[in-house]
Amino acid sequence: MDKLQIVQALSKVKDPATGQDIITLNMIRDLEIEGNKVNFTLELPRLDYPSKSELNFACIGAIQEVYPSAEVNVHSATEQQKAGTKPPPAKKGAMPHVKNIIAVASGKGGVGKSTVSTNLALGLKEMGAKVGLIDADLYGPSIPTMLGLQGQRPKVQEVYGTPRLVPLEAFGISVMSIGFIIEPEQAVVLRGPRLGAIIKQFFNDCIWPELDYLIIDLPPGTGDIQLTLVQTVSVTGSIIVTTPQQVAVADAIKAMSMFQLPSVNVPILGVVENMSWFTPAELPDNKYHIFGSGGGQRLADMAKTKLLGQIPLVQSIRESSDDGKPALLNKDTPVAGIFMEVAKNTALQVNERNDKLAPTRKVDIKI
């Protein structure tokens, strides 16, 4: 029996939780062949993994399709059970194939979270990362418009008899939004528990590819969706978006404080100040601080974090969002460079956070 053929057979077995094949997810180790016996260890997030039996039988079936007489022995283990190694503070569980989950939040609406989220995702992708974007603003989903995906619907793919949604793709990033499921004019009238259930479905019932970053565009405030997020997945860090004026900063402090609660404990990666100044197209060197100045830096200082960037209020950002081609893609404009700087600073902050801090754990809070 050929080991390569066995690996190729196992690559057809998919993990029901992620939709990814078990070879890509590095779930197979210690593969050995002795005569007609095939022995290997199937590494699981936890020993009571719901799909454990399904995966065992799928592995046996895949190998016996190639070698019908093979005796296949599958040993189940977890990351912590690797012999002779000290386990990391594991980020197994929900979405183990996503390296970093970044929440983009604010205390109030209209400050540009969706604009920042979209251009941040595209900036990280420009840097060579694999990026996904979840539009978690269920009441007012903006991402379909900003990425030119209005009217499109996600495909449904069955994984071992369970239907899963396949996120759409735009400009090289994977995207999921309730705007792909409901009609544009349809109002979302849901109470808290149902809102939370939809957010969980975006994580657990979608086939996300392997990602370096998953950006979460949150709704305003500190409500059900924010709490469901930190209870469902391990959030690497959050970015707070504000405009310069004091009334916006005061609300942004509340969003920031939620992530800093001892029961939540999600690091603040940085602050993005949007609408920092107005610059008319015909006077590109002029800056009019119509919303005041300094709010973003004050907020960053309070959080002991970095001001990731200041985004000017210019007409081209609005036009590009409405046209479904985000500002970062207009390479010949100064705004594209500013959003790219935000993406680079974010990547640096994520790297520093991961070097200095243990992975964030999902939280168990009842508020």
Side-chain angles (χ1 to χ4, degrees), residues 191-203:
R191 292 188 184 274
R194 188 61 189 133
L195 291 172
I198 292 173
I199 293 300
K200 286 179 180 178
Q201 285 181 304
F202 283 175
F203 292 108

Side-chain angles (χ1 to χ4, degrees), residues 114-132:
S114 297
T115 301
V116 170
S117 298
T118 302
N119 285 283
L120 170 61
L122 290 169
L124 292 168
K125 192 265 174 188
E126 286 285 311
M127 293 167 61
K130 292 173 281 188
V131 185

